[in-house]
Amino acid sequence: MQVAVLLLLVAALCSATLALDNGEMRVPPMGWLAWERFRCDLDCEHDPKNCISENLFIDMADRLAEDGWRELGYVYVNIDDCWSSMKRDEKGRLQADPKRFPRGIKELARYMHARGLKLGLYGDMGTHTCGGYPGTTLDNIDLDAQTFADWEVDMFKFDGCYSNATEQEQGYPLMSKALNATGRPIGYSCSWPAYQGGLPPKVNYTELGQICNLWRNYGDIQDSWDSVLNIINWFFENQDVLAPAAGPGKWNDPDMLIVGDFGLSMDQSRAQMALWAIMAAPLFMSNDLRTISSGARTILQNKMAIIINQDPMGVQGRRLVKEKIGIDVFWRPLSKNASALVFFSRRTDMPYRYQTSLSKLNYTAGSYEIYDVFTGKSMALKDSAPFVVSVNPTGVVMWHVSAPAKWNPRHFYKASVCVYTANRYDLNEEV
């Protein structure tokens, strides 16, 4: 296990200087995002509580501020598509829809700031947004970046509908420079890799980390377990490429948390929360915080899951084991020689009793303190002691593992050059 830790640390340290230099999002950002739950609902006459309007975002800001979310780190309130007028103003600037956002984006941002929150806004580098609203073409990038800064926006998501690969290659770096040139710290979310298949050679993750704070790699999440599972499969099947790209200030984004919506059971909701924490993923909820169930709230407000997600070392976790019986084991190294483990069941029949030991997962000799993230129970466990975890169908068991008092690594690794090769080691073998 210590070989894995050291190699991942080398990768993280070597890439640290290649992150976007705007000081933003040194840990994965957390908050609320409208899209998955509320989409492009424009019917404010018949559906005033759920349409895309300033009232919806004020309601969610109030819930974040008053219901314990803000104190846990959920501070962003993010507007997605369909917020703008269909036309730019007389000076060529984007403008909010005057009926649905009568006070404008700047006043909405100030409402957030007065409550210790931040405002995120959406745009698109094509001729139109995905919903058909005015886009930010190459000739409008500087103007729009300054407009967002003038509005006191804290985060900007740049989508890629109605643009081609050449325009994206120019536009995403140009927007990064334009946002920085405003002098206002604005976290920058890029959809670029999702439009280029998410993988090299079309996606250059070294370059991406220099211009974006986070990026969407894959398709949009939907309110279903199949959608969540597809995302999990893609991210961990490609972990050798994706994990080294992530770190403080630059994050892979597997898309929104749909915990509290309609498509997931409680076990599946815990699974999404656990695996997003293992991936060091941004935690943007897309649900209705006004009516969320107590069960969903408990999952999303789980303090240890959030601590794991927000670990300042910023190393993205990996899948260690994929068993033919339908059990996967995931691991993430954390600060202070701690780590996190997730035992995940792909089975759909009944709870499965999975037996292993910490030594089989390549933990070094010693006694460890185990904290079960979702039950709150603790125990001491020696590395050599066999244990059994009972994992519900499509569910997880998640552990925080504290390091032994004395660390005696079985391996020694000396890095003479700053190079990371994903397949350099096998977690089941000594090197």
Side-chain angles (χ1 to χ4, degrees), residues 1 274-275 278 308 318-321 328-334 338-344 356-363 368 370-374 381 387 389 396-402 427:
M1 178 60 69
L275 291 171
I278 286 288
I308 291 168
R318 304 173 67 88
R319 180 167 59 196
L320 301 183
V321 177
D328 292 1
V329 183
F330 303 87
W331 166 80
R332 181 181 173 188
L334 305 173
S339 59
L341 285 170
V342 169
F343 305 90
F344 168 55
T356 187
S357 67
L358 293 179
S359 62
K360 287 183 179 179
L361 300 175
N362 276 21
Y363 278 78
Y368 293 80
I370 308 297
Y371 178 81
D372 189 305
V373 171
F374 292 116
L381 188 64
F387 62 83
V389 288
V396 293
V397 171
M398 186 178 197
W399 286 359
H400 179 276
V401 183
S402 298
L427 288 174

